[in-house]
Every structure is written in C-alpha cells, then in structure tokens.
Amino acid sequence: MTPTLVAVLAGLLLAPADTTTVLHSVALDVTGDGRPEVLELLATAETPDSLEVVFVVRNHDGVLYEHPLRPLTRTTGFDAGRRELTAEAYRARVRDFGPWFFGAGKFRTAVALEAWLNESAPRHVAAIGRVIARDSEGRLDPAGGERVWQRMRARDATVFEFSPGGDALLAIAWSQEHRRFYRVLECC
C-alpha cells in the first residue's frame, strides 16, 4: 500500500465523521469544451469500517454533477455469501476502488455506447430518450429526450459508465444545449 493511501485512510478513520477527503480523482474533458473537468470520489468515514462515498464532477465554475454511491464497508457479498473482510483486505478494497471506478473502460463515446448496446442489450438503445426524459425531472418528454441524445450522438459526446453499488449500472453524458449531465443508461 502506498504511503499516501495509508495516510488518507488513517486520516479518514481518525477524523470527525463530517470530514470529507478525496479518495480518488481524474482530470478529463467530459463536457467537450476543451478543458478537463475533475471527476472525484469524495469519502467521509461514518465508522472505521464504512466510508460514505459521493461521485462528483466539477469544473472551474463548480459542481456539475454528483451522485451518492453505496458505502464502502468491510462487509461483502449478499445473503448466504456475506462475509466480513479483514482490515488489510478492506484497505485493499478502498485502495483499488478509485482506479476501478475511473478505469479506462468506463469512458466511451456516445456512438461507441450505442454500438455496444446494439450488440449486448438493444432494448436499451430504444430507451435512451426515455431515460434522459426521466432524468430531466419533467422538463422533457421522451421525444425531447431522444432529441437530446441525437445531439449528444452527433457530437460523439463522452459517456461515463459507473455503478453506484450492487448490480446497478448508470451512464451519464453532457448536454451542451442544457449545460448539464443526463443519465443515458439505467440498468439492472
């Protein structure tokens, strides 16, 4: 384990519960404006064996997107397969989480996402407009969501796929017209 990670973990576990630190970050242009945004995992230690984690995208103007993730705990598995990690295994889980979360395979273009979905789950391609409309909180109907997706697709927007925990899979992409991220995929 790197000395930096040890210091971060020790600091989190010894800090007051309201102390938040950057667990991992990457800089990448995900809005298409030519300047990199900062994608971060912010962690707060609720207990020594549980980290509350929030995924945040920010630029020079502030926070563009945030989504809470399932806590990182020492407990893994489901039902009869549940088990408690050792302290060392838990530290490794925390250390490896950020690089996994922001792994190169999590970023693809809108065209590549659509091609991948056409091969693996074609019904999700037809649902993209509805997913965007649902995420618009009533500002768009499914046809409007489809128009947003077609503009994202035309400029081949960067799509970031992530799991907020469990089997869930979400993907977001930036709408230049609406100056915000929209979910473009909700699965499982």
Side-chain angles (χ1 to χ4, degrees):
M1 182 177 321
T2 64
T4 304
L5 180 62
V6 171
V8 167
L9 285 175
L12 275 172
L13 299 178
L14 297 173
D18 62 351
T19 300
T20 301
T21 191
V22 177
L23 187 61
H24 195 82
S25 69
V26 296
L28 184 72
D29 180 10
V30 291
T31 63
D33 66 358
R35 295 180 290 191
E37 285 71 41
V38 177
L39 290 76
E40 307 176 297
L41 292 174
L42 303 179
T44 305
E46 292 300 313
T47 70
D49 295 336
S50 179
L51 292 177
E52 296 292 325
V53 182
V54 177
F55 163 52
V56 176
V57 180
R58 68 178 81 241
N59 70 3
H60 56 281
D61 291 329
V63 173
L64 300 175
Y65 181 84
E66 66 181 278
H67 194 286
L69 307 181
R70 182 175 287 171
L72 287 176
T73 67
R74 284 181 63 174
T75 303
T76 65
F78 298 96
D79 302 327
R82 288 179 78 89
R83 64 186 175 84
E84 197 78 12
L85 297 173
T86 65
E88 183 178 321
Y90 178 60
R91 284 191 301 274
R93 180 180 188 204
V94 171
R95 178 193 66 227
D96 297 341
F97 185 72
W100 169 82
F101 189 87
F102 292 122
K106 305 294 182 93
F107 297 90
R108 64 176 88 212
T109 66
V111 171
L113 174 74
E114 196 169 287
W116 173 69
L117 288 173
N118 273 323
E119 288 182 21
S120 60
R123 66 183 172 81
H124 287 292
V125 174
I128 292 174
R130 291 189 305 274
V131 171
I132 291 171
R134 202 169 30 254
D135 194 36
S136 77
E137 300 168 344
R139 287 182 225 112
L140 295 170
D141 61 11
E146 183 60 30
R147 285 189 296 276
V148 168
W149 172 246
Q150 290 308 319
R151 287 191 286 272
M152 289 175 178
R153 193 177 181 290
R155 69 176 180 82
D156 214 9
T158 299
V159 177
F160 176 63
E161 302 164 29
F162 67 98
S163 173
D167 292 336
L169 176 65
L170 303 177
I172 60 172
W174 181 256
S175 167
Q176 288 180 330
E177 295 78 17
H178 297 156
R179 312 239 358 109
R180 62 160 285 184
F181 283 96
Y182 282 111
R183 286 186 189 175
V184 296
L185 175 67
E186 298 171 322
C187 182
C188 313

